[in-house]
Amino acid sequence: MEIADAMERRKINILCVQETKWKGESARKIVGGFKIFYKGNEATRNGVGIVLDKELAQSVVKVQRVSDRLKWIKIVVNMEQVTVVSADAPQAGCTQDKKD
C-alpha cells in the first residue's frame, strides 16, 4: 500500500524494488491498480520486482525472471519496446565470491 501511495503521489509509472523477500515468482495486483511482477527464493531472502501502473501493466509483452536477484520485462510504450531491468547486488553478510 505504501508503494502504491508513493507512486500515485509522485506520479511514478515504473518502480523497481529489491529485497522483496517473497517466495516464488508471480505477478499480483496491488492497491490503486498497480501490478508487481516479482521473483524470490524459498528462503525469503533477496527478491526483486518491478511495479507498473495500471496502463503499463496492460502493455507487458515479455517477463523474464532470471533469478531472485535479476529480472526484466519488456513493455510497449508509444509503439516502442522498452526493457526494464531490476537487479540486486549481494551486500554485507555475503561471501566475496557472491559479491564478485
Side-chain angles (χ1 to χ4, degrees):
M1 289 178 10
E2 290 178 39
I3 288 173
D5 181 52
M7 288 179 73
E8 280 183 353
R9 275 186 291 119
R10 298 173 187 254
K11 299 187 183 343
I12 297 171
N13 304 98
I14 303 171
L15 180 70
C16 293
V17 292
Q18 291 77 37
E19 301 294 336
T20 59
K21 303 193 185 316
W22 288 344
K23 290 183 179 182
E25 59 184 61
S26 188
R28 67 169 76 159
K29 291 183 180 180
I30 57 176
V31 177
F34 292 93
K35 190 170 187 177
I36 183 167
F37 299 82
Y38 68 91
K39 176 160 177 70
N41 66 29
E42 293 306 312
T44 64
R45 297 185 66 205
N46 308 327
V48 292
I50 300 172
V51 184
L52 301 175
D53 68 13
K54 187 176 184 176
E55 184 178 318
L56 290 177
Q58 296 174 8
S59 301
V60 174
V61 292
K62 185 168 185 176
V63 177
Q64 183 67 41
R65 295 171 175 99
V66 179
S67 72
D68 62 341
R69 292 191 180 274
L70 180 65
K71 76 175 293 44
W72 58 266
I73 61 172
K74 283 190 180 185
I75 57 176
V76 176
V77 178
N78 297 328
M79 298 179 53
E80 296 283 335
Q81 275 196 9
V82 177
T83 302
V84 179
V85 178
S86 181
D88 180 31
Q91 300 294 320
C94 295
T95 66
Q96 190 60 41
D97 287 341
K98 279 201 177 233
K99 291 179 184 179
D100 290 342

